Amino acid sequence: MNTNLEQEFVVLLEDNQNILHKICKLYSTDLASHQDLFQEMVIQLWRSYPKFKGDSKFSTWAYRVSLNTAISLYRSKRNKITTVDWDHALGNIRYEEYNSEEEEQLRFLYDAVRQLNDIDKALVYMYLEDKDYAEIAETLGITEVNARVKMNRIKSKLKEILAKKGVV
């Protein structure tokens, strides 16, 4: 490939690498799997980059490719992935800006989100990242109306899950 294309890709990737790291956090349980997934996403982005036409923002396109990569790998390795119990992982994370009640609510929320299917998890993630429905729809390859409807259903499902735990 041409050097300008490589340089352009590297600059765009450096500017948007947090997208990949956030997705890695959502779909990996430890540093090694995070790094493996990050590397796989970069490879897929690089392979696909010559086909990127610029019809959407690079970040939107990177979300789509990275989420698809993460979901595909997650599904193919689902039986091989070892997970860490959330309570154990929570002990390793410091939430200094939150009080204990907020920590407990966050734990319940993350617990509920983990029960969703892969696409719904991605939708919630993007929603919590303050992405508008147009960008969510474009990234996930669905209509904006469908994204809104799915999000409303997910909210109801999360409320139901949290109500069963006596949280809501």
Side-chain angles (χ1 to χ4, degrees):
M1 291 206 179
N2 97 33
T3 308
N4 290 337
L5 191 65
E6 286 178 32
Q7 291 172 342
E8 184 180 293
F9 176 78
V10 168
V11 168
L12 288 168
L13 184 62
E14 285 175 350
D15 290 345
N16 292 278
Q17 68 179 306
N18 283 340
I19 293 168
L20 279 67
H21 286 295
K22 289 175 182 177
I23 293 170
C24 287
K25 286 179 184 176
L26 190 63
Y27 287 94
S28 62
T29 56
D30 57 36
L31 182 60
S33 60
H34 179 109
Q35 291 170 336
D36 289 345
L37 180 55
F38 184 86
Q39 181 179 5
E40 189 60 35
M41 288 188 295
V42 170
I43 290 168
Q44 292 306 319
L45 286 166
W46 174 243
R47 285 182 181 158
S48 304
Y49 188 64
K51 298 173 192 160
F52 175 61
K53 297 175 183 144
D55 295 338
S56 62
K57 294 188 292 185
F58 179 84
S59 61
T60 301
W61 175 78
Y63 264 116
R64 176 180 282 173
V65 172
S66 298
L67 280 170
N68 286 336
T69 301
I71 289 168
S72 295
L73 285 175
Y74 177 78
R75 286 180 177 163
S76 69
K77 294 181 178 180
R78 188 179 314 190
N79 296 332
K80 299 175 189 172
I81 293 177
T82 57
T83 59
V84 175
D85 182 29
W86 177 250
D87 292 329
H88 172 70
L90 189 60
N92 296 329
I93 300 172
R94 291 182 45 184
Y95 293 109
E96 293 178 42
E97 68 272 19
Y98 299 120
N99 65 32
S100 62
E101 186 177 314
E102 287 173 335
E103 280 185 41
E104 188 71 8
Q105 289 173 344
L106 276 175
R107 187 177 68 77
F108 284 127
L109 177 62
Y110 279 104
D111 232 8
V113 170
R114 285 185 23 236
Q115 294 178 40
L116 301 174
N117 68 43
D118 296 336
I119 299 300
D120 290 353
K121 253 192 254 185
L123 203 152
V124 168
Y125 163 72
M126 294 183 76
Y127 181 82
L128 292 174
E129 287 287 309
D130 290 328
K131 301 299 175 191
D132 62 34
Y133 283 110
E135 188 171 352
I136 292 170
E138 185 178 344
T139 302
L140 296 178
I142 59 178
T143 66
E144 191 173 336
V145 170
N146 192 357
R148 289 179 187 279
V149 169
K150 285 177 84 55
M151 193 63 222
N152 284 330
R153 289 181 182 157
I154 292 167
K155 286 177 184 177
S156 296
K157 186 186 271 185
L158 289 173
K159 284 179 185 174
E160 185 180 305
I161 292 169
L162 293 170
K164 286 181 184 176
K165 295 185 179 215
V167 178
V168 190

